Amino acid sequence: MLDLVKKVFKQSTMLSDKLPELMPGGVSIAIDTTCQKIVHNPVAARFFGIEDWGNFSPLNFPSFKVLHNGKVLLTDELPIVRSARYGDEVSGFELEFAFQEGISKIAIVSSCPLKNELGVIIGAMTTFEEVTELIHNTRNLSAHGLSLGLLIDDRTKELREEFDKREKIELEVTKLERLNLIGQLAAGLGHEVRNPMTTIRGFLQILHTKSDLLPYKSYFDLMIEELDRANSIITDFLSIAKNKSTEFKRQCLNTLLTNLFPLILAYAYSQDKKCNFEPGEITELDIDSSEITQLVLNLARNGLEAMHNNGYLTIRTFMDDQFIVLSVKDEGTGIKPEDVLKLGTPFFTTKENGTGLGIPMCYNIARRHFAKIEVKSGSEGTTFLIRFPQHIGNGAI
Ligand SMILES: Nc1ncnc2c1ncn2[C@@H]1O[C@H](COP(=O)(O)OP(=O)(O)OP(=O)(O)O)[C@@H](O)[C@H]1O
Ligand SMILES: [Mg+2]
């Protein structure tokens, strides 16, 4: 078949005359092996910005650059020069033509030597197709794809955060509902249980003064002590349940903590543990002294109980944005992630003699102060952070 085409080519000079002109792509012909003169068909001429069949050689234009994969090609590396000088055949080579004034065009180039009947190279021919628009569109498309991907990633992250936030709120609501229910039960139960207890305590007190029961005095003391303990547990429990009115007074939290610290220190020393108070520069705030005292004591006691000997309990105050933060940090064993979620649920305890009312009491006190409790726990210990607004009723939480 190819032979037939060759025959027709030989017979019809018109075909070879017309072919470069009719070609839909660019055709550039080097008329000798030096490539000093290269003529271009109309498509190629338009590409280079010259007149049809004009002479334009990259060799004569030092400011004209041809790049492959971002690297500027040397003269000898240009496809047409390779074909004309060395007889190379080049096929499907992507080249970027960097013109002056920042214009850049991209083309897929093929090139072959032109030989006479004796097989001697007399020039070279290059054909090419401009793909600038195609490449730019592809690049734009992948850039769009990338930004679309980023947008989807961002949105997914936002949705996940929103979902986590909702899950946390639902947990909080469940906890509050449970607290509320227990509160209602407690209010009734506490009252009912206390009455018979008061009667029993009264009789025990009478009996333990009787001379004939003197040998059992220590038993009576123990019974009264145990009854008092039960009574104090009920008091603690009721303080969670009841929405007791809080007496706010504007004051400095550091002063309250300075007064309280010796008590915590003594308690820590009695267990061979250490304690530190680092007051920061904080503004005054509205707090109920007795409630905050209870909160700090509960947290400090938990921290100390969680630590081995020589462990350090650190109480700090500092400002975070517009919030006053009280931090109680221990070097204890930490709280298991699944248990962190249970904190604040009445009677949740991991201690043999614990009541599980300390933390719920803290949550209630914090709630009444419009403060928020954050718990960070790991193998190096636990930190309770209580964030107080500077002014209550500011809707800061
Ligand atoms: N700082 C802490 N380090 C490790 N675990 C803690 C800490 N604080 C609280 N916990 C865990 O939370 C549980 C509940 O604490 P909470 O203070 O409510 O009750 P408790 O300490 O068990 O008993 P009590 O009523 O005597 O305080 C604890 O049993 C413990 O498992
Ligand atoms: Mg406790």
Side-chain angles (χ1 to χ4, degrees):
M1 199 64 172
L2 197 61
D3 288 344
L4 281 175
V5 175
K6 280 180 184 168
K7 207 167 145 198
V8 175
F9 255 92
K10 272 190 183 148
Q11 283 168 359
S12 165
T13 50
M14 198 182 152
L15 188 59
S16 51
D17 284 351
K18 277 283 172 200
L19 191 66
E21 199 164 338
L22 295 174
M23 291 267 286
V27 179
S28 304
I29 297 164
I31 58 171
D32 59 29
T33 54
T34 65
C35 290
Q36 289 294 333
K37 274 198 173 167
I38 300 172
V39 288
H40 304 271
N41 79 340
V43 177
R46 240 174 288 133
F47 183 85
F48 291 113
I50 56 167
E51 79 227 39
D52 294 358
W53 300 111
N55 169 29
F56 174 81
S57 168
L59 272 56
N60 304 326
F61 288 84
S63 58
F64 176 95
K65 282 186 198 134
V66 184
L67 298 96
H68 177 64
N69 285 342
K71 182 181 158 270
V72 177
L73 295 187
L74 302 172
T75 310
D76 260 6
E77 292 171 324
L78 296 171
I80 198 158
V81 177
R82 281 172 58 192
S83 296
R85 289 187 186 169
Y86 312 111
D88 286 354
E89 300 221 357
V90 180
S91 165
F93 208 49
E94 187 185 306
L95 291 181
E96 184 183 343
F97 295 81
F99 295 88
Q100 279 175 323
E101 289 147 25
I103 297 168
S104 148
K105 293 181 180 181
I106 301 162
I108 304 294
V109 178
S110 297
S111 182
C112 67
L114 294 175
K115 295 177 182 171
N116 64 14
E117 280 165 355
L118 299 170
V120 178
I121 300 171
I122 53 164
M125 179 171 76
T126 287
T127 59
F128 65 87
E129 194 176 340
E130 186 178 353
V131 289
T132 313
E133 215 169 311
L134 191 77
I135 297 274
H136 283 172
N137 284 348
T138 313
R139 282 181 192 160
N140 281 347
L141 216 66
S142 50
H144 262 90
L146 202 70
S147 63
L148 212 68
L150 287 175
L151 208 73
I152 291 171
D153 284 353
D154 278 358
R155 194 73 195 110
T156 313
K157 202 171 140 223
E158 266 172 38
L159 281 172
R160 198 169 301 139
E161 279 171 7
E162 189 63 30
F163 183 74
D164 287 351
K165 218 155 83 187
R166 266 166 195 249
E167 215 171 34
K168 260 193 191 150
I169 292 173
E170 273 168 23
L171 258 167
E172 284 291 309
V173 170
T174 320
K175 211 185 263 182
L176 282 176
E177 277 171 357
R178 223 177 307 161
L179 258 175
N180 203 16
L181 183 73
I182 292 176
Q184 285 168 11
L185 273 171
L189 255 175
H191 187 72
E192 292 307 311
V193 173
R194 261 179 170 171
N195 283 347
M197 269 170 53
T198 315
T199 315
I200 297 167
R201 196 182 189 282
F203 279 114
L204 285 175
Q205 232 163 355
I206 295 169
L207 288 173
H208 108 296
T209 53
K210 294 255 179 231
S211 53
D212 48 338
L213 288 176
L214 217 57
Y216 304 105
K217 185 178 179 304
S218 64
Y219 292 171
F220 283 113
D221 286 346
L222 191 68
M223 282 192 270
I224 291 169
E225 221 172 86
E226 287 295 288
L227 269 179
D228 286 346
R229 205 170 85 84
N231 201 26
S232 99
I233 291 175
I234 293 174
T235 310
D236 282 354
F237 190 36
L238 285 182
S239 89
I240 301 172
K242 253 196 294 181
N243 251 340
K244 84 175 203 45
S245 64
T246 308
E247 284 166 26
F248 292 112
K249 203 179 129 213
R250 196 145 189 83
Q251 55 187 293
C252 182
L253 181 61
N254 286 341
T255 315
L256 185 149
L257 293 171
T258 308
N259 294 335
L260 189 61
F261 190 62
L263 187 71
I264 300 169
L265 201 61
Y267 186 59
Y269 275 147
S270 73
Q271 303 177 14
D272 281 335
K273 286 158 198 171
K274 291 171 190 146
C275 198
N276 214 9
F277 173 40
E278 297 171 10
E281 291 259 323
I282 52 169
T283 56
E284 288 199 325
L285 73 170
D286 302 311
I287 45 175
D288 179 317
S289 309
S290 69
E291 288 206 334
I292 298 302
T293 301
Q294 202 166 25
L295 176 134
V296 176
L297 287 178
N298 278 343
L299 294 181
R301 199 156 59 85
N302 278 348
L304 290 168
E305 281 167 1
M307 294 196 295
H308 297 295
N309 285 3
N310 289 323
Y312 243 107
L313 182 87
T314 311
I315 300 172
R316 271 194 204 107
T317 55
F318 55 91
M319 294 298 297
D320 180 17
D321 202 3
Q322 79 268 41
F323 296 101
I324 294 137
V325 186
L326 161 67
S327 139
V328 181
K329 178 174 180 286
D330 64 59
E331 296 175 343
T333 44
I335 310 171
K336 287 190 215 147
E338 64 267 30
D339 286 348
V340 172
L341 298 171
K342 296 179 197 155
L343 289 177
T345 306
F347 301 117
F348 164 68
T349 180
T350 55
K351 298 171 194 169
E352 213 168 301
N353 296 316
T355 59
L357 293 176
I359 297 288
M361 207 184 287
C362 293
Y363 272 92
N364 255 23
I365 294 169
R367 186 175 52 79
R368 284 198 285 268
H369 283 76
F370 302 92
K372 212 165 180 182
I373 297 185
E374 188 190 337
V375 187
K376 290 180 184 165
S377 195
S379 53
E380 305 94 57
T382 305
T383 307
F384 278 82
L385 294 151
I386 299 98
R387 265 169 233 277
F388 294 91
Q390 290 180 39
H391 294 276
I392 51 160
N394 261 3
I397 295 285

